[in-house]
Structures are given as structure tokens and as C-alpha cells.
Coordinates of all heavy atoms in Angstrom, one line a residue:
F1 N -75.2 -32.7 28.0 CA -74.0 -32.1 27.4 C -74.3 -30.8 26.7 O -73.6 -29.8 26.7 CB -73.3 -33.0 26.4 CG -72.3 -34.0 27.1 CD1 -72.3 -35.3 26.7 CD2 -71.5 -33.6 28.1 CE1 -71.4 -36.2 27.2 CE2 -70.6 -34.5 28.7 CZ -70.6 -35.8 28.3
A2 N -75.5 -30.8 26.0 CA -75.9 -29.6 25.3 C -76.1 -28.4 26.2 O -75.8 -27.3 26.0 CB -77.2 -29.9 24.5
D3 N -76.7 -28.8 27.4 CA -77.0 -27.7 28.4 C -75.7 -27.2 29.0 O -75.6 -26.0 29.2 CB -77.9 -28.3 29.5 CG -79.3 -28.5 29.0 OD1 -79.7 -27.9 27.9 OD2 -80.1 -29.2 29.6
V4 N -74.7 -28.1 29.2 CA -73.4 -27.6 29.7 C -72.8 -26.7 28.7 O -72.2 -25.6 29.1 CB -72.5 -28.9 30.0 CG1 -71.1 -28.4 30.2 CG2 -73.0 -29.7 31.2
V5 N -72.9 -27.0 27.4 CA -72.3 -26.1 26.4 C -73.0 -24.8 26.4 O -72.4 -23.7 26.3 CB -72.3 -26.8 25.0 CG1 -72.0 -25.8 23.9 CG2 -71.4 -28.0 25.0
R6 N -74.3 -24.8 26.4 CA -75.1 -23.6 26.3 C -75.0 -22.7 27.5 O -75.2 -21.5 27.4 CB -76.6 -23.9 26.0 CG -76.8 -24.5 24.6 CD -78.2 -24.9 24.2 NE -78.2 -25.4 22.9 CZ -78.7 -26.6 22.6 NH1 -79.3 -27.3 23.5 NH2 -78.7 -27.0 21.3
Q7 N -74.7 -23.3 28.7 CA -74.4 -22.5 29.9 C -73.0 -21.9 29.9 O -72.6 -21.2 30.8 CB -74.6 -23.4 31.1 CG -76.0 -23.8 31.4 CD -76.2 -24.9 32.4 OE1 -75.2 -25.2 33.1 NE2 -77.4 -25.4 32.6
G8 N -72.2 -22.3 28.8 CA -70.9 -21.7 28.7 C -69.8 -22.4 29.6 O -68.7 -21.9 29.8
K9 N -70.2 -23.6 30.1 CA -69.3 -24.3 31.0 C -68.3 -25.2 30.3 O -67.3 -25.7 30.8 CB -70.1 -25.1 32.1 CG -70.9 -24.2 33.0 CD -71.7 -25.0 34.0 CE -72.5 -24.1 34.9 NZ -73.4 -24.9 35.8
A10 N -68.6 -25.5 29.0 CA -67.7 -26.3 28.1 C -67.9 -25.7 26.7 O -69.0 -25.4 26.3 CB -68.0 -27.8 28.2
L11 N -66.8 -25.7 26.0 CA -66.9 -25.1 24.6 C -67.2 -26.2 23.6 O -67.8 -26.0 22.6 CB -65.6 -24.4 24.3 CG -65.2 -23.3 25.2 CD1 -64.0 -22.5 24.7 CD2 -66.4 -22.3 25.4
Y12 N -66.6 -27.4 23.8 CA -66.8 -28.5 22.9 C -67.0 -29.8 23.7 O -66.7 -29.8 24.9 CB -65.5 -28.8 22.1 CG -65.1 -27.6 21.2 CD1 -64.3 -26.6 21.8 CD2 -65.4 -27.5 19.9 CE1 -63.9 -25.5 21.0 CE2 -65.0 -26.4 19.1 CZ -64.3 -25.4 19.6 OH -63.9 -24.4 18.9
I13 N -67.6 -30.8 23.1 CA -67.8 -32.1 23.8 C -67.1 -33.2 23.0 O -66.8 -33.1 21.8 CB -69.2 -32.4 24.0 CG1 -70.0 -32.6 22.7 CG2 -69.9 -31.4 24.9 CD1 -71.3 -33.3 22.8
G14 N -66.8 -34.3 23.7 CA -66.2 -35.4 23.1 C -66.4 -36.6 24.0 O -67.2 -36.6 24.9
V15 N -65.8 -37.7 23.6 CA -66.0 -39.0 24.3 C -64.6 -39.7 24.5 O -63.6 -39.2 24.0 CB -66.9 -39.9 23.5 CG1 -68.3 -39.3 23.4 CG2 -66.4 -40.3 22.2
S16 N -64.6 -40.8 25.2 CA -63.4 -41.5 25.4 C -63.7 -43.0 25.4 O -64.5 -43.5 26.1 CB -62.7 -41.1 26.8 OG -61.6 -41.9 27.0
E17 N -62.9 -43.7 24.5 CA -63.0 -45.2 24.4 C -64.4 -45.6 24.0 O -64.9 -46.6 24.4 CB -62.6 -45.9 25.7 CG -61.1 -45.8 26.0 CD -60.3 -46.7 25.2 OE1 -60.7 -47.1 24.0 OE2 -59.2 -47.1 25.6
W18 N -65.1 -44.8 23.1 CA -66.3 -45.2 22.5 C -66.1 -46.0 21.2 O -65.1 -45.7 20.5 CB -67.2 -44.0 22.2 CG -67.9 -43.4 23.4 CD1 -67.5 -43.5 24.7 CD2 -69.1 -42.7 23.4 NE1 -68.4 -42.8 25.5 CE2 -69.4 -42.3 24.7 CE3 -70.0 -42.3 22.4 CZ2 -70.5 -41.6 25.1 CZ3 -71.2 -41.6 22.8 CH2 -71.4 -41.2 24.1
S19 N -66.9 -47.0 20.9 CA -66.8 -47.7 19.7 C -67.2 -46.8 18.5 O -67.8 -45.8 18.7 CB -67.6 -49.0 19.7 OG -69.0 -48.6 19.7
A20 N -66.9 -47.3 17.3 CA -67.3 -46.5 16.1 C -68.8 -46.3 16.1 O -69.3 -45.2 15.7 CB -66.8 -47.2 14.8
T21 N -69.6 -47.3 16.4 CA -71.1 -47.2 16.4 C -71.5 -46.2 17.4 O -72.5 -45.4 17.1 CB -71.7 -48.6 16.6 OG1 -71.3 -49.5 15.6 CG2 -73.2 -48.5 16.7
Q22 N -71.0 -46.2 18.6 CA -71.4 -45.3 19.6 C -71.0 -43.9 19.3 O -71.8 -43.0 19.5 CB -70.7 -45.7 20.9 CG -71.2 -47.1 21.5 CD -70.3 -47.7 22.5 OE1 -69.2 -47.2 22.7 NE2 -70.7 -48.8 23.1
I23 N -69.8 -43.7 18.7 CA -69.4 -42.4 18.3 C -70.4 -41.8 17.2 O -70.8 -40.6 17.3 CB -68.0 -42.4 17.7 CG1 -67.0 -42.6 18.8 CG2 -67.7 -41.1 16.9 CD1 -65.5 -42.9 18.3
R24 N -70.8 -42.6 16.3 CA -71.7 -42.1 15.2 C -73.0 -41.8 15.9 O -73.6 -40.7 15.5 CB -71.9 -43.2 14.2 CG -72.8 -42.7 13.0 CD -73.0 -43.8 12.0 NE -71.7 -44.2 11.3 CZ -71.1 -43.5 10.3 NH1 -71.7 -42.4 9.9 NH2 -70.0 -43.9 9.8
A25 N -73.6 -42.6 16.8 CA -74.9 -42.3 17.4 C -74.8 -41.0 18.2 O -75.7 -40.1 18.1 CB -75.3 -43.4 18.3
G26 N -73.7 -40.8 19.0 CA -73.6 -39.6 19.7 C -73.4 -38.4 18.9 O -74.0 -37.3 19.1
W27 N -72.6 -38.5 17.8 CA -72.4 -37.4 16.9 C -73.7 -37.0 16.2 O -73.9 -35.8 16.0 CB -71.3 -37.8 15.8 CG -71.0 -36.8 14.9 CD1 -70.0 -35.8 15.0 CD2 -71.6 -36.5 13.6 NE1 -69.9 -35.0 13.9 CE2 -70.9 -35.4 13.0 CE3 -72.6 -37.1 12.9 CZ2 -71.3 -34.9 11.7 CZ3 -73.0 -36.6 11.6 CH2 -72.3 -35.5 11.1
E28 N -74.5 -37.9 15.8 CA -75.7 -37.6 15.1 C -76.7 -36.8 16.0 O -77.3 -35.8 15.6 CB -76.4 -38.8 14.6 CG -75.7 -39.5 13.4 CD -76.3 -40.8 12.9 OE1 -77.1 -41.3 13.7 OE2 -75.9 -41.3 11.9
M29 N -76.7 -37.2 17.3 CA -77.5 -36.5 18.3 C -77.0 -35.1 18.5 O -77.7 -34.1 18.6 CB -77.6 -37.2 19.6 CG -78.5 -38.5 19.5 SD -78.8 -39.2 21.2 CE -79.6 -40.7 20.7
A30 N -75.7 -35.0 18.6 CA -75.0 -33.7 18.7 C -75.4 -32.7 17.6 O -75.6 -31.5 17.8 CB -73.5 -33.8 18.9
Q31 N -75.4 -33.3 16.4 CA -75.8 -32.5 15.2 C -77.2 -31.9 15.4 O -77.5 -30.8 15.1 CB -75.7 -33.3 13.9 CG -74.3 -33.8 13.6 CD -73.2 -32.8 13.8 OE1 -73.1 -31.8 13.1 NE2 -72.4 -32.9 14.8
D32 N -78.1 -32.8 15.8 CA -79.5 -32.4 16.1 C -79.6 -31.3 17.1 O -80.4 -30.4 17.0 CB -80.4 -33.5 16.4 CG -80.6 -34.5 15.3 OD1 -80.4 -34.1 14.1 OD2 -80.9 -35.7 15.6
L33 N -78.7 -31.4 18.1 CA -78.7 -30.4 19.2 C -77.9 -29.2 18.9 O -77.9 -28.3 19.7 CB -78.2 -31.1 20.5 CG -79.1 -32.2 21.1 CD1 -78.3 -33.1 22.1 CD2 -80.3 -31.6 21.8

């Protein structure tokens, strides 16, 4: 996803039907990236 954003193919990322725990884990990695 980070590479897709950096290539300019998507401006933002998100998820669908993820649990709260999964959202937090993905969000934390997104912050690092």
C-alpha cells in the first residue's frame, strides 16, 4: 500500500470490515511507513 501511495496511484488508504484490533495494527504500521 505504501508503494501504491508513493507511486501516486492512491492518495489515501483504508480498510473494510476490519476488527478494532486489526485496524490498530494496520494504522500503526501505516504511521511507521
Side-chain angles (χ1 to χ4, degrees):
F1 276 141
D3 289 342
V4 167
V5 170
R6 290 180 182 128
Q7 290 170 8
K9 296 177 181 180
L11 305 185
Y12 301 85
I13 62 163
V15 299
S16 178
E17 291 282 28
W18 282 28
S19 70
T21 300
Q22 292 162 353
I23 289 171
R24 184 179 297 278
W27 181 89
E28 289 175 350
M29 287 188 187
Q31 300 313 293
D32 291 341
L33 291 163

